[in-house]
């Protein structure tokens, strides 16, 4: 992603976003086996280094070597070499590839040329519906996109944000029938992995807003879990909410989502309360 960001900042403001149609279903077996044989032979013949000198190997396999690389990288290594030969700025991960150029016209020309190479040389097919020449801000790569303007920043693509919210909704909906401990453990597991990947973005306000949204989901879920006015009032008072404020919230006819934003629930189910239960922040101490 950082390489893509550098290309855009350097003036390569158009991207050829390539999507290979049913890549793993269409890999040509003969070409795959030929590439694997070539790679393995080179790997085995690489030799070993002893005291700064390389000695040839005639048997055995080097220790610690990645003998089983991803099949997609084996197949598409030829594409990488072709793009390098042509002097293109590109990034690729598995079967996702983006090529950066300076103009839309150049992008359309490169798209047609690379499609021919992929079809004729690699015996694969480009997905016309999902591939495009566009501004980088209009496309996504590995769940990320980029902001517009002179200061190019990595941001989380809208579809990745939608997937996050969908998963959080699934977990918090189930909270009605399980313990808060179980819910928090499931949330922590998912959010830790998500933060480890998308924490790489450069738009912290998005991560802060998502963390706040998760807390609102939890407040609404707990409100539903308490069920009766009596239990709701008792729970709020037990969590330090003044009796009058707790009474007003418990007797309110407003729905859980609206009450999640109320002063009563903000006090009784504070940020510190959720941290004590193990809720992770997606960014800093927000």
């Amino acid at each position: 992603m950082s390489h893509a960001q550098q290309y855009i900042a350097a003036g390569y403001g158009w991207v050829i976003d390539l999507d290979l149609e049913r890549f793993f279903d269409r890999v040509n077996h003969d070409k795959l086996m030929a590439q694997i044989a070539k790679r393995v032979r080179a790997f085995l013949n690489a030799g070993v280094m002893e005291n700064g000198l390389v000695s040839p190997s005639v048997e055995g396999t080097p220790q610690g070597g990645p003998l089983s690389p991803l099949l997609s990288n084996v197949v598409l290594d030829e594409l990488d070499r072709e793009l390098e030969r042509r002097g293109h700025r590109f990034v690729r991960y598995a079967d996702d590839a983006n090529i950066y150029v300076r103009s839309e016209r150049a992008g359309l020309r490169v798209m047609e040329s690379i499609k021919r190479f992929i079809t004729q040389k690699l015996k694969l097919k480009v997905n016309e519906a999902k591939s495009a020449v566009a501004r980088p801000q209009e496309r996504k790569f590995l769940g990320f996109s980029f902001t517009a303007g002179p200061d190019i920043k990595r941001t989380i693509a809208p579809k990745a944000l939608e997937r996050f919210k969908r998963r959080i909704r699934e977990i918090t909906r189930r909270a009605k029938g399980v313990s808060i401990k179980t819910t928090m453990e499931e949330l922590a597991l998912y959010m830790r992995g998500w933060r480890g990947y998308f924490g790489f973005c450069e738009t912290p306000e998005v991560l802060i807003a998502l963390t706040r949204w998760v807390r609102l989901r939890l407040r609404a879920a707990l409100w539903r879990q308490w069920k009766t006015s009596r239990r709701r009032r008792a729970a709020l008072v037990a969590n330090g909410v003044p009796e009058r404020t707790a009474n007003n919230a418990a007797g309110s006819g407003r729905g859980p989502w609206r009450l999640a934003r109320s002063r009563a629930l903000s006090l009784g189910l504070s940020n510190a309360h959720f941290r004590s239960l193990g809720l992770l922040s997606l960014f800093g101490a927000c």
Side-chain angles (χ1 to χ4, degrees):
M1 290 302 298
S2 59
H3 283 96
Q5 191 174 2
Q6 291 167 18
Y7 297 148
I8 298 167
Y12 294 85
W14 289 85
V15 62
I16 299 103
D17 187 357
L18 290 170
D19 184 274
L20 299 181
E21 186 172 305
R22 296 171 56 199
F23 173 76
F24 290 101
D25 294 338
R26 293 180 179 274
V27 170
N28 183 282
H29 286 190
D30 290 337
K31 289 188 68 64
L32 174 60
M33 293 309 297
Q35 288 284 352
I36 289 176
K38 182 178 178 181
R39 285 295 191 87
V40 171
R41 173 57 61 186
F43 176 76
L44 293 176
N45 289 342
V48 294
M49 179 173 285
E50 294 179 357
N51 299 321
L53 299 175
V54 177
S55 303
S57 337
V58 294
E59 62 181 10
T61 60
Q63 289 184 336
L67 191 56
S68 301
L70 292 171
L71 293 182
S72 56
N73 285 337
V74 172
V75 174
L76 295 175
D77 179 66
E78 197 170 352
L79 173 62
D80 291 349
R81 293 202 307 273
E82 180 65 15
L83 293 174
E84 289 170 356
R85 187 185 69 79
R86 298 185 186 190
H88 287 310
R89 278 80 176 168
F90 72 96
V91 291
R92 182 182 67 78
Y93 183 83
D95 57 330
D96 290 325
N98 281 359
I99 307 166
Y100 294 88
V101 294
R102 290 188 181 275
S103 69
E104 183 179 20
R105 183 178 179 182
L108 293 171
R109 184 179 66 250
V110 172
M111 170 70 92
E112 290 305 312
S113 176
I114 293 300
K115 275 166 53 178
R116 285 195 299 272
F117 177 83
I118 289 172
T119 302
Q120 297 171 11
K121 187 73 174 177
L122 302 183
K123 309 302 181 186
L124 296 170
K125 186 176 180 180
V126 173
N127 187 321
E128 300 282 354
K130 294 185 178 180
S131 298
V133 175
R135 293 291 191 181
Q137 293 79 11
E138 299 169 5
R139 308 297 291 180
K140 64 179 178 66
F141 183 68
L142 304 179
F144 287 92
S145 188
F146 299 95
T147 60
D151 187 15
I152 305 297
K153 292 182 179 180
R154 294 183 300 272
T155 189
I156 304 168
K159 286 188 177 179
L161 294 175
E162 289 172 14
R163 284 194 297 271
F164 174 86
K165 288 192 169 185
R166 186 165 58 246
R167 181 67 179 130
I168 296 299
R169 286 190 185 101
E170 290 172 359
I171 295 171
T172 51
R173 281 194 193 109
R174 290 198 296 271
K176 186 176 180 180
V178 299
S179 69
I180 187 62
K181 181 176 182 293
T182 300
T183 298
M184 298 308 298
E185 287 173 351
E186 192 172 359
L187 275 176
L189 183 64
Y190 177 70
M191 291 176 67
R192 185 177 294 110
W194 199 90
R195 182 179 65 181
Y197 185 81
F198 286 106
F200 182 60
C201 82
E202 296 175 320
T203 49
E205 63 276 9
V206 175
L207 301 178
I208 292 170
L210 284 177
T211 302
R212 289 173 177 166
W213 180 81
V214 172
R215 286 195 291 259
L216 288 174
R217 291 289 309 179
L218 282 169
R219 287 176 185 135
L222 283 169
W223 193 250
R224 292 188 185 94
Q225 193 179 83
W226 292 334
K227 293 182 180 178
T228 67
S229 296
R230 180 180 294 180
R231 286 184 62 190
R232 287 167 175 170
R233 178 189 176 282
L236 290 175
V237 171
N239 284 338
V241 178
E243 287 194 13
R244 184 174 179 180
T245 305
N247 284 334
N248 289 339
S252 172
R254 291 184 295 171
W257 184 245
R258 289 188 63 191
L259 279 168
R261 302 173 182 273
S262 69
R263 181 169 179 269
L265 269 69
S266 295
L267 287 173
L269 300 174
S270 65
N271 298 358
H273 176 77
F274 285 125
R275 280 197 296 271
S276 72
L277 294 177
L279 181 67
L280 297 175
S281 168
L282 295 174
F283 180 80
C286 64

